[in-house]
Amino acid sequence: MKLSKEIRAFQTRLGHDFADPALLIRALTHPSVSSPNRQDNQRLEFLGDRVLGLVMATALLEYDRKASEGQLAPRFNALVRKEACADVARQIDIGAVLKLGRSEMLSGGRRKQALLGDAMEAVIAAIYKDAGFEAAQEVILRLWGDRIGTVEEDARDPKTALQEYVQARRQPPPDYVLVARSGPDHEPVFTIAVRLQDGTEEQATAGSKRLAEQAAAKALLTKLEQAT
């Protein structure tokens, strides 16, 4: 299979030349452009998530041999969650070579976090199927780089951390309220407020409700911790 100049350049950024280039093409094919004769990347995404998980679990155990399961679990989650995968995907510009349907292209699909994260997982699976676990492991460790060593000691997501904070003080769970929604349908912007029973609140704005909730929770948790 002859690859385009853009795909060959992507292989260089990725650091793996495929013996079976069809695997890479499939990994970069979003469901919006699939057909009976063209497989999309969803099954590879499923496999890549598991390969990534094994590599990260192994790396964390090797990096910190004294850490407890309770310390390792949130670090692991921080390294394999969709945001982390999308961040690495941006680093090697997967968006530039994604194969998308017209609707996804018009809606800014090449910048969407979910699409980028899914594609990164699919590419990992493609490397695994093309050259085996060690090849996939080498690429993952190189691309994730010092993220493994610098992942926060307490890497719980902010919503979980805030929930635990209020529970420890026997307070009701925080409420998340949609304050505003703006922007076009294909690229919305959400403002979310998180409020405690005593009226303490913080707001945050992001391109998805989930990210806005996380940012608001982090801001409120910071405020609460600084007040103590």
Side-chain angles (χ1 to χ4, degrees):
M1 175 183 288
K2 187 175 181 180
L3 297 176
S4 68
K5 181 176 68 174
E6 291 77 16
I7 297 292
R8 292 198 305 273
F10 174 72
Q11 282 194 130
T12 300
R13 297 195 298 273
L14 180 64
H16 179 78
D17 289 329
F18 281 80
D20 181 3
L23 283 167
L24 176 58
I25 299 302
R26 180 180 166 193
L28 297 172
T29 301
H30 185 261
S32 64
V33 75
S34 64
S35 70
N37 298 319
R38 176 187 283 180
Q39 292 182 303
D40 62 44
N41 63 8
Q42 289 185 308
R43 287 173 62 86
L44 286 176
E45 173 201 339
F46 172 81
L47 176 59
D49 177 60
R50 276 69 188 171
V51 175
L52 174 63
L54 179 56
V55 171
M56 284 300 153
T58 303
L60 285 169
L61 286 172
E62 288 296 315
Y63 182 80
D64 189 346
R65 295 176 181 270
K66 296 182 179 180
S68 67
E69 188 277 339
Q71 292 172 310
L72 292 170
R75 298 179 198 172
F76 173 85
N77 291 335
L79 290 167
V80 302
R81 65 170 58 119
K82 198 69 71 178
E83 292 90 338
C85 291
D87 187 44
V88 175
R90 294 186 191 96
Q91 174 183 318
I92 55 175
D93 199 11
I94 279 183
V97 290
L98 281 180
K99 297 183 177 299
L100 304 173
R102 178 175 172 77
S103 62
E104 278 295 348
M105 284 194 290
L106 292 175
S107 65
R110 297 188 190 281
R111 301 187 303 275
K112 288 182 180 178
Q113 182 163 268
L115 269 66
L116 294 175
D118 290 348
M120 189 68 244
E121 291 172 345
V123 167
I124 288 169
I127 297 170
Y128 171 75
K129 290 175 71 69
D130 187 65
F133 178 76
E134 289 186 2
Q137 182 180 44
E138 186 280 325
V139 170
I140 291 167
L141 293 178
R142 175 167 41 79
L143 293 180
W144 261 253
D146 61 5
R147 292 176 177 85
I148 298 168
T150 60
V151 64
E152 294 180 17
E153 179 71 19
D154 180 3
R156 293 169 300 171
D157 71 86
K159 287 185 68 176
T160 299
L162 179 61
Q163 180 85 359
E164 293 175 354
Y165 182 95
V166 297
Q167 283 180 342
R169 289 155 180 78
R170 299 185 179 183
Q171 299 175 15
D175 289 325
Y176 293 87
V177 180
L178 176 63
V179 175
R181 183 187 187 281
S182 59
D185 289 341
H186 68 270
E187 204 167 357
V189 175
F190 300 92
T191 298
I192 298 287
V194 57
R195 297 168 182 164
L196 301 184
Q197 187 181 45
D198 64 4
T200 306
E201 78 166 62
E202 281 291 337
Q203 295 186 10
T205 300
S208 73
K209 288 183 180 179
R210 179 177 178 276
L211 289 177
E213 287 175 352
Q214 296 281 14
K218 184 175 183 178
L220 181 53
L221 191 59
T222 298
K223 175 191 281 187
L224 293 170
E225 290 174 342
Q226 288 175 346
T228 58

